[in-house]
Each structure stands twice: as C-alpha cells, then as structure tokens.
C-alpha cells in the first residue's frame, strides 16, 4: 500500500520531519513538534517575566551589562531562568532570557504519565516521581536532557546532551545545613554547587579547585505569584568562560536547583 502524503520523521535528522508527497521524499523539512507535558488544565498566571528581566538582573547584583555573549545558552554570561507560574501545576516549564531580555531558550518537562500529572495536581509528592526535563534552544532543539530519579532522601540529576550522550551527574552531598551538590563526570568531581545559607536562595558554583566561576541568585517573582504559585526565578552569572563538561553542568544548574529543592519542598 502507498503511504499517504504527509510529514514524517526524517531518517537523516530526528529533530526534523520531511514531506512525503505520496511517491517520494521531497527536500522540504521543518522542525519536529516538540514534546511537552503541559496540560490544558494548568492555569498560567500571566507571563514568565520578560518585562522584569532588567529588574531581576539588578536584584542579582549586576549593575552594568556584562560584556560578551553570543546569543546562546552556552555563550551568554548571564542567564535569567523564569519558571512559568501556574495555579494548577502538572509540569515544570521555564523560559530562559539573556541579560537584555532576549528569549534564548526554554525548558520543558517530558515523559509523565496521566497518573503522574494527577499526582502533581492534587498532592505535594513531587519527590516520589521521576522528573525528565529538556533544555532547548530558541528553535526548540534539545541541547541538554536532565533526569532526576524519584527519591525520598538525597537527590541527583543525570545530565545528558541533546542526543542522549552522557555528560555527568549533579549529586546532592548533604541533607542538613547548607545544601551542597557535586558535579561528577566520569567518576570524578569537577566542581559543585554550594548554598550560601540554609534557605538555599543563593549559590556559589565552583570548579574542581573550589574557585567560584559562576553564581545563582534567586530573584523575587512578585507578590501575586508568590501567594498562589511555587514558581521561582533565578539569575545565573558566569564570572568567566569555562570549558565542558563544567559549562554544561552549570547551565543545567539553574533548573536543577529549582527541581531538586523547591519542587521537593512543595
């Protein structure tokens, strides 16, 4: 039987679909529709903060624009990570801006079952669920994939490239006191995340020599969202360019901190 004309997965690049005209493949392609766990019952509370990016950057202690950047998640010196605020939350969603409020990426939760979404909507048992996130560029192409396995104790996040190649793990080192996470790649610690107070609002991101190379600062999302939502906003500032795999681990950290801490606290 002949296959009907339509868009089908491109064997040459799974990120795209290619048009089949009923007889042969054509040169026409388009980005594959991205998967997301967002549900129509989730009630989003306004925007994700693009109009407040300058205020967030200032609250993070960045007085003047930081030089450098190339418009991507791996080259910008400042990343503003805003979680979408929802009255009913069944999935984690974030928008990422640069310091000038340009949209440079998104984060979407994927792979949840219907039962998991119901558990999210009506309970505070997030820690008992696996969490899978995709960090995507502005075109929707996955750059990093994060998996936080279900846990009742210390958390960890598995970090992979967009094509599924492993990078490392972000491993929680303690439960009491100022929380710490280790960046572990190929069995070796290449740096870590260190909370600066027990409330875990601000974090020092360090390399293997315990030198701070970046910071995460939690910023106020506004009274209306704070009263009715657990959504959080973070500013990630690089002090200097760092190589991979540390670079990818730091980019993943702005989302990891919220997923591991705030979601567990409910």
């Amino acid at each position: 039987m002949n296959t009907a004309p339509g868009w089908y997965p491109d064997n040459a690049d799974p990120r795209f679909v290619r048009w089949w005209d009923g007889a042969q493949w054509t040169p026409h392609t388009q980005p594959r529709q991205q998967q997301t766990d967002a549900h129509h019952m989730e009630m989003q509370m306004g925007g994700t903060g693009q109009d407040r990016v300058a205020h967030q950057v200032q609250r993070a202690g960045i007085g003047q624009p930081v030089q450098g950047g190339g418009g991507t998640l791996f080259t910008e010196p400042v990343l503003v990570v805003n979680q979408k605020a929802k009255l009913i939350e069944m999935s984690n969603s974030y928008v990422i801006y640069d310091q000038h409020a340009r949209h440079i990426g998104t984060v979407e939760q994927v792979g949840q079952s219907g039962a998991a979404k119901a558990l999210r909507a009506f309970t505070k048992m997030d820690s008992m669920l696996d969490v899978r996130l995709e960090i995507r560029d502005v075109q929707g192409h996955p750059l990093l994939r994060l998996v936080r396995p279900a846990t009742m104790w210390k958390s960890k996040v598995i970090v992979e490239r967009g094509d599924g190649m492993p990078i490392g793990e972000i491993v929680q080192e303690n439960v009491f006191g100022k929380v710490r996470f280790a960046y572990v790649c190929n069995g070796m610690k290449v740096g870590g995340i260190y909370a600066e107070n027990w409330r875990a609002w601000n974090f020092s991101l360090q390399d293997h020599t315990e030198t701070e190379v970046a910071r995460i600062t939690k910023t106020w999302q506004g009274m209306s969202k704070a009263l009715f939502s657990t959504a959080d906003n973070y500013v990630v500032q690089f002090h200097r360019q760092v190589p991979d795999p540390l670079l990818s681990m730091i980019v993943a950290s702005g989302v990891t901190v919220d997923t591991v801490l705030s979601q567990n606290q409910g």
Side-chain angles (χ1 to χ4, degrees), residues 117-165:
K117 292 180 183 180
L119 193 66
R120 286 283 304 275
F122 300 109
T123 74
K124 299 295 183 181
M125 302 174 68
D126 292 17
S127 63
M128 297 179 63
L129 302 171
D130 289 353
V131 177
R132 300 177 183 274
L133 302 171
E134 287 188 357
I135 300 180
R136 301 167 178 169
D137 64 18
V138 72
Q139 286 80 33
H141 303 147
L143 301 176
L144 296 172
R145 301 180 193 273
L146 313 181
V147 180
R148 191 214 65 189
T151 180
M152 291 296 293
W153 195 240
K154 294 180 182 179
S155 294
K156 73 174 181 179
V157 175
I158 302 166
V159 183
E160 301 175 342
R161 301 194 190 283
D163 59 6
M165 291 294 293

Side-chain angles (χ1 to χ4, degrees), residues 41-48 84-88:
M41 289 184 61
E42 295 181 292
M43 300 175 63
Q44 187 169 321
M45 300 172 58
T48 56
K84 296 180 182 179
K86 306 169 184 176
L87 288 176
I88 300 174

Side-chain angles (χ1 to χ4, degrees), residues 69-82 94-99 102-108 134-145 236-238 241-242 244 246-255:
T72 74
L73 294 173
F74 296 115
T75 58
E76 286 295 329
V78 177
L79 304 176
V80 181
V81 183
N82 287 352
Y94 307 79
V95 179
I96 306 175
Y97 305 99
D98 68 7
Q99 61 187 315
R102 291 185 292 246
H103 177 201
I104 59 173
T106 59
V107 185
E108 293 291 345
E134 287 188 357
I135 300 180
R136 301 167 178 169
D137 64 18
V138 72
Q139 286 80 33
H141 303 147
L143 301 176
L144 296 172
R145 301 180 193 273
V236 183
Q237 180 187 6
F238 287 87
Q241 190 69 25
V242 297
D244 256 338
L246 184 59
L247 173 60
S248 293
M249 303 297 267
I250 291 176
V251 170
S253 294
V255 176

Side-chain angles (χ1 to χ4, degrees), residues 7-266:
W7 294 102
Y8 296 95
D10 186 1
N11 292 331
D13 191 335
R15 298 174 302 173
F16 292 85
V17 290
R18 185 177 295 275
W19 182 258
W20 171 261
D21 65 7
Q24 62 183 355
W25 293 107
T26 72
H28 305 298
T29 62
Q30 64 180 18
R32 192 172 185 176
Q33 185 175 4
Q34 296 297 315
Q35 181 185 8
T36 176
D37 283 355
H39 193 277
H40 69 274
M41 289 184 61
E42 295 181 292
M43 300 175 63
Q44 187 169 321
M45 300 172 58
T48 56
Q50 185 172 13
D51 58 337
R52 296 176 55 84
V53 167
H55 179 67
Q56 291 176 254
V57 171
Q58 186 178 22
R59 286 290 299 271
I62 305 172
Q64 299 294 327
V66 181
Q67 298 298 315
T72 74
L73 294 173
F74 296 115
T75 58
E76 286 295 329
V78 177
L79 304 176
V80 181
V81 183
N82 287 352
Q83 185 178 8
K84 296 180 182 179
K86 306 169 184 176
L87 288 176
I88 300 174
E89 185 177 67
M90 300 183 191
S91 63
N92 297 0
S93 300
Y94 307 79
V95 179
I96 306 175
Y97 305 99
D98 68 7
Q99 61 187 315
H100 306 294
R102 291 185 292 246
H103 177 201
I104 59 173
T106 59
V107 185
E108 293 291 345
Q109 185 168 357
V110 298
Q112 288 189 108
S113 65
K117 292 180 183 180
L119 193 66
R120 286 283 304 275
F122 300 109
T123 74
K124 299 295 183 181
M125 302 174 68
D126 292 17
S127 63
M128 297 179 63
L129 302 171
D130 289 353
V131 177
R132 300 177 183 274
L133 302 171
E134 287 188 357
I135 300 180
R136 301 167 178 169
D137 64 18
V138 72
Q139 286 80 33
H141 303 147
L143 301 176
L144 296 172
R145 301 180 193 273
L146 313 181
V147 180
R148 191 214 65 189
T151 180
M152 291 296 293
W153 195 240
K154 294 180 182 179
S155 294
K156 73 174 181 179
V157 175
I158 302 166
V159 183
E160 301 175 342
R161 301 194 190 283
D163 59 6
M165 291 294 293
I167 297 176
E169 297 180 347
I170 303 175
V171 182
Q172 188 174 347
E173 295 186 308
N174 66 322
V175 175
F176 304 105
K178 300 176 183 179
V179 68
R180 305 187 309 272
F181 299 87
Y183 296 141
V184 179
C185 300
N186 295 322
M188 298 181 59
K189 183 175 179 178
V190 299
I193 309 172
Y194 299 86
E196 296 190 337
N197 53 59
W198 67 271
R199 295 179 64 198
W201 273 63
N202 302 320
F203 301 84
S204 172
L205 309 184
Q206 302 177 8
D207 63 14
H208 69 286
T209 68
E210 298 185 352
T211 299
E212 181 175 294
V213 295
R215 293 185 62 78
I216 296 176
T217 304
K218 184 177 179 180
T219 57
W220 180 244
Q221 73 269 43
M223 181 62 71
S224 61
K225 292 183 180 180
L227 288 175
F228 300 104
S229 168
T230 59
D232 288 314
N233 301 330
Y234 295 88
V235 174
V236 183
Q237 180 187 6
F238 287 87
H239 301 321
R240 59 179 174 83
Q241 190 69 25
V242 297
D244 256 338
L246 184 59
L247 173 60
S248 293
M249 303 297 267
I250 291 176
V251 170
S253 294
V255 176
T256 297
V257 166
D258 179 70
T259 298
V260 173
L261 294 180
S262 299
Q263 296 299 316
N264 285 359
Q265 292 168 359

